């Protein structure tokens, strides 16, 4: 009888722990984009997730392990948004739609839900190898998604144009968030949109 009870209780406890773990990662994924890697502390994450600080180590071996999972989720969320934008329009319009969404006012304002490259790019080089590996994979996948919109996909020129496009989009968003002049911020994003199509033909 005791064995039967253990078997029925253990899966539910495992499911509860998994749900809690996912909640922590979701909170951390927003926090790193909002406050940066260095500004994201364990105590604050656990408090925002509604948990005690002491519960942290039953979910993660270290703060770096949590940051790597948070970075993974942030990248996956951003990749899903781009893929959904591309899927919602005819193939020939996908690239323009992705660029417009990325450089939109909404994305500009929603740092904690947006692209982790624009929110964390300058900090990433100083992070643990696992975090950098996650970011590198996301950059490669983003380049490939952009390159696939070109008629000459698979050729070096398409790959190179995709790299230019990604670098320009991310750079324009970083700079527009850096300035305290709203008109300049809007103008930089508009300028990137106006000139990026030239790099994709």
């Amino acid at each position: 009888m005791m064995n039967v009870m253990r078997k029925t209780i253990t899966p539910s406890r495992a499911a509860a722990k998994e749900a809690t773990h996912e909640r922590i990662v979701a909170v951390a994924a927003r926090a790193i984009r909002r406050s940066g890697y260095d500004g994201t502390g364990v105590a604050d994450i656990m408090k925002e997730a509604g948990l005690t600080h002491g519960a942290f180590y039953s979910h993660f071996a270290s703060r770096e392990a949590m940051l790597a999972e948070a970075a993974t989720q942030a990248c996956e969320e951003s990749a899903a948004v781009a893929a959904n934008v591309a899927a919602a329009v005819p193939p020939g319009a996908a690239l323009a739609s992705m660029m417009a969404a990325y450089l939109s006012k909404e994305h500009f304002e929603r740092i904690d839900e947006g692209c982790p490259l624009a929110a964390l790019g300058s900090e990433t080089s100083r992070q643990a190898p696992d975090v950098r590996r996650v970011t590198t994979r996301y950059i490669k996948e983003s380049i490939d998604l952009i390159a696939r919109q070109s008629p000459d996909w698979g050729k070096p020129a398409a790959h190179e144009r995709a790299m230019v496009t990604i670098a320009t989009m991310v750079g324009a968003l970083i700079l527009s968030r850096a300035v305290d002049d709203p008109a300049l911020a809007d103008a930089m994003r508009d300028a990137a949109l106006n000139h990026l199509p030239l790099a994709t033909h």
Side-chain angles (χ1 to χ4, degrees):
M1 188 69 167
M2 289 297 292
N3 288 338
V4 172
M5 289 181 67
R6 284 197 188 100
K7 286 179 181 177
T8 58
I9 291 172
T10 300
S12 64
R13 285 180 178 169
K17 183 174 182 179
E18 183 178 350
T20 299
H21 186 94
E22 290 174 357
R23 185 164 81 248
I24 298 169
V25 172
V27 169
R30 291 193 303 271
I32 58 174
R33 285 174 282 186
R34 180 179 63 240
S35 305
Y37 288 116
D38 294 341
T40 300
V42 170
D44 292 335
I45 294 301
M46 297 304 281
K47 182 177 179 181
E48 189 175 339
L51 301 163
T52 63
H53 190 172
F56 176 81
Y57 290 101
S58 67
H59 292 276
F60 304 96
S62 64
R63 175 177 175 273
E64 288 69 28
M66 176 192 71
L67 292 179
E69 286 198 42
T72 298
Q73 175 146 332
C75 290
E76 288 176 351
E77 289 172 356
S78 189
V81 168
N84 288 340
V85 169
V89 296
L95 182 57
S97 292
M98 284 191 288
M99 291 190 300
Y102 191 91
L103 293 168
S104 67
K105 187 79 168 179
E106 181 182 15
H107 190 206
F108 167 77
E109 293 175 343
R110 302 181 74 170
I111 296 176
D112 65 342
E113 297 178 7
C115 174
L117 299 180
L120 299 161
S122 63
E123 289 187 57
T124 304
S125 63
R126 299 186 295 274
Q127 300 309 306
D130 286 350
V131 173
R132 297 191 68 190
R133 193 172 301 115
V134 167
T135 305
T136 300
R137 184 171 63 245
Y138 173 57
I139 291 171
K140 289 179 177 179
E141 290 171 354
S142 298
I143 291 170
D144 184 61
L145 178 62
I146 295 293
R148 276 188 274 134
Q149 313 311 315
S150 295
D152 58 347
W153 174 45
K155 295 182 180 179
H159 185 76
E160 186 172 305
R161 286 197 306 272
M163 288 193 289
V164 170
T165 300
I166 290 290
T168 304
M169 288 165 61
V170 174
L173 190 55
I174 290 173
L175 293 178
S176 65
R177 286 175 175 169
V179 300
D180 65 354
D181 181 340
L184 177 59
D186 290 344
M188 282 193 289
R189 298 195 317 282
D190 288 343
L193 279 174
N194 289 337
H195 289 276
L196 272 172
L198 299 177
T200 60
H201 293 305

